[in-house]
Amino acid sequence: MTEDDAAARSPTDLAQQMREAADRLMTGWTRTVGSVSGAVAPGLSAMPHFPALPATVSAQQVQKLLDDLSARRLQVQTLRDQLTTFDEQLGMLEASLQPVAEWTRTWAAAEKSVSDFWRAPGGTRPGSG
């Protein structure tokens, strides 16, 4: 062992080397945590994106299906409400036209009685002949 090796292994130097190693280790962990959380340290690339596990993918697919079903049910409920409103409007129109239909039948009966009055016995109209 040389004198330089002995000097490098003094307790003070050893403590300094351990401190530097600990600092490097902490810096590495800080950068790694930062890259996972989205804050990438300068000079380092972000952590690679790993594919999702099969159970995670299945859970996401089921959730998307549930979201789609919920949206479709909401569309059906909206359509049902619109059809109910349309049915009510048709009912009001029908009720409004009932008096018009009665009036039209009454008028048609009056026209028939007047036209029967002007017919001559034998089915011909006066003045035609």
Side-chain angles (χ1 to χ4, degrees):
M1 222 197 276
T2 65
E3 197 173 302
D4 290 335
D5 289 339
R9 297 195 185 256
S10 72
T12 306
D13 290 338
L14 185 58
Q16 180 65 29
Q17 289 174 353
M18 300 239 342
R19 178 69 183 169
E20 289 171 0
D23 287 344
R24 283 193 304 269
L25 183 64
M26 289 304 295
T27 302
W29 278 107
T30 305
R31 288 180 183 168
T32 302
V33 170
S35 67
V36 169
S37 68
V40 180
L44 290 178
S45 62
M47 293 282 290
H49 177 71
F50 295 108
L53 297 174
T56 304
V57 172
S58 295
Q60 291 170 348
Q61 290 171 339
V62 170
Q63 187 59 49
K64 285 180 183 178
L65 177 65
L66 288 174
D67 292 345
D68 186 52
L69 288 174
S70 177
R72 288 179 191 269
R73 289 191 69 225
L74 183 61
Q75 287 175 340
V76 168
Q77 290 170 356
T78 302
L79 183 60
R80 185 182 61 215
D81 293 343
Q82 290 173 346
L83 287 174
T84 300
T85 303
F86 185 61
D87 183 51
E88 291 170 358
Q89 290 172 349
L90 287 177
M92 289 188 300
L93 180 61
E94 183 180 25
S96 298
L97 289 177
Q98 286 296 334
V100 174
E102 286 296 321
W103 180 82
T104 304
R105 281 194 285 274
T106 303
W107 185 257
E111 281 181 340
K112 185 176 191 277
S113 66
V114 170
S115 67
D116 286 345
F117 175 75
W118 290 104
R119 284 194 189 148
T124 60
R125 290 188 178 184
S128 66

